[in-house]
Amino acid sequence: ITDFSKSIVSEIYHPFEKIITKMEYCIKRNTTNSIIVRIAEVYGNGKMNPFEKIDSGISFLGDGQNLMSKIHIDDVIKIMTKIHKIKPIGTYELCDDLTVTQRDFYDYAEFLAKKKFITWNCNKNCNNSRLLTSIHGLRNLSIRMNNQYLKRILSCSLKYPNYKIGLNNLYFSKNSD
């Protein structure tokens, strides 16, 4: 498990992070019973299932070396249902246990599918600074996510604690139909 939450907090300060921090502060200041859930990049059936794109392919801008926190949709539903029932006041990060690069995530999907269907557009120039700023900000927030506090407060575990278990489930359930 890679925990970036303490190692780079003081090193990263980004406009997108500033907006999120101000928003969360405003919510906490103006309410007494706030529950804030920061959700990692979601994948699974009906929500960015890479195996649904095997025939058409998926194209990405960049080289895929950005670190991301992921979460399987089944775990999102499970945890959000539990939060709704318990209503624990606080701020929580909903992600699986393992930070992963985009490339490792999709390389593993291609490994399972035994077919190359991901294209990395590393040499394309992107002159849209707003887009690049947004991508960079989301990436910085995501790599620092840590689910230990959430799992402790809710006394729960994840069905898919890392992307390999989640992708295995997606792939083999898709191919068993």
Side-chain angles (χ1 to χ4, degrees):
I1 299 173
T2 305
D3 178 8
F4 290 94
S5 61
K6 294 175 184 55
S7 61
I8 62 172
V9 169
S10 60
E11 297 174 28
I12 297 175
Y13 195 71
H14 188 274
F16 190 78
E17 184 176 2
K18 188 176 182 179
I19 292 167
I20 295 294
T21 304
K22 282 184 177 181
M23 179 193 68
E24 288 179 0
Y25 174 76
C26 183
I27 291 169
K28 290 176 185 176
R29 188 184 61 196
N30 293 307
T31 64
T32 55
N33 298 323
S34 63
I35 302 168
I36 298 171
V37 182
R38 300 174 186 148
I39 302 175
E41 186 175 290
V42 181
Y43 69 96
N45 286 323
K47 184 67 177 170
M48 197 46 219
N49 180 347
F51 303 113
E52 292 175 354
K53 303 288 186 179
I54 289 175
D55 294 330
S56 61
I58 304 172
S59 183
F60 288 101
L61 180 63
D63 62 5
Q65 294 306 310
N66 51 310
L67 286 165
M68 297 294 291
S69 293
K70 302 279 192 178
I71 186 77
H72 192 285
I73 188 69
D74 292 352
D75 284 322
V76 172
I77 293 166
K78 173 186 171 183
I79 299 296
M80 293 304 288
T81 301
K82 192 158 189 170
I83 287 173
H84 179 72
K85 289 178 183 172
I86 297 173
K87 298 187 180 15
I89 307 305
T91 302
Y92 303 95
E93 295 179 336
L94 182 47
C95 58
D96 71 18
D97 298 339
L98 185 65
T99 303
V100 63
T101 67
Q102 287 287 80
R103 182 168 294 269
D104 287 344
F105 180 85
Y106 288 102
D107 281 354
Y108 191 69
E110 288 180 329
F111 168 77
L112 291 172
K114 296 175 181 62
K115 181 177 180 183
K116 182 157 178 46
F117 61 98
I118 306 299
T119 304
W120 299 100
N121 297 305
C122 306
N123 298 323
K124 297 221 177 183
N125 290 328
C126 181
N127 296 323
N128 186 332
S129 62
R130 184 173 178 177
L131 174 65
L132 292 175
T133 298
S134 297
I135 291 169
H136 179 71
L138 289 169
R139 185 181 310 153
N140 288 343
L141 289 171
S142 180
I143 63 173
R144 296 186 344 208
M145 294 182 85
N146 183 323
N147 65 19
Q148 298 305 308
Y149 179 65
L150 176 123
K151 290 192 314 186
R152 184 171 43 84
I153 295 297
L154 297 180
S155 298
C156 67
S157 60
L158 301 175
K159 183 175 182 180
Y160 306 105
N162 66 61
Y163 74 97
K164 286 187 176 183
I165 295 169
L167 286 175
N168 277 321
N169 173 267
L170 282 175
Y171 181 73
F172 292 111
S173 66
K174 176 186 182 317
N175 289 312
S176 67
D177 296 337

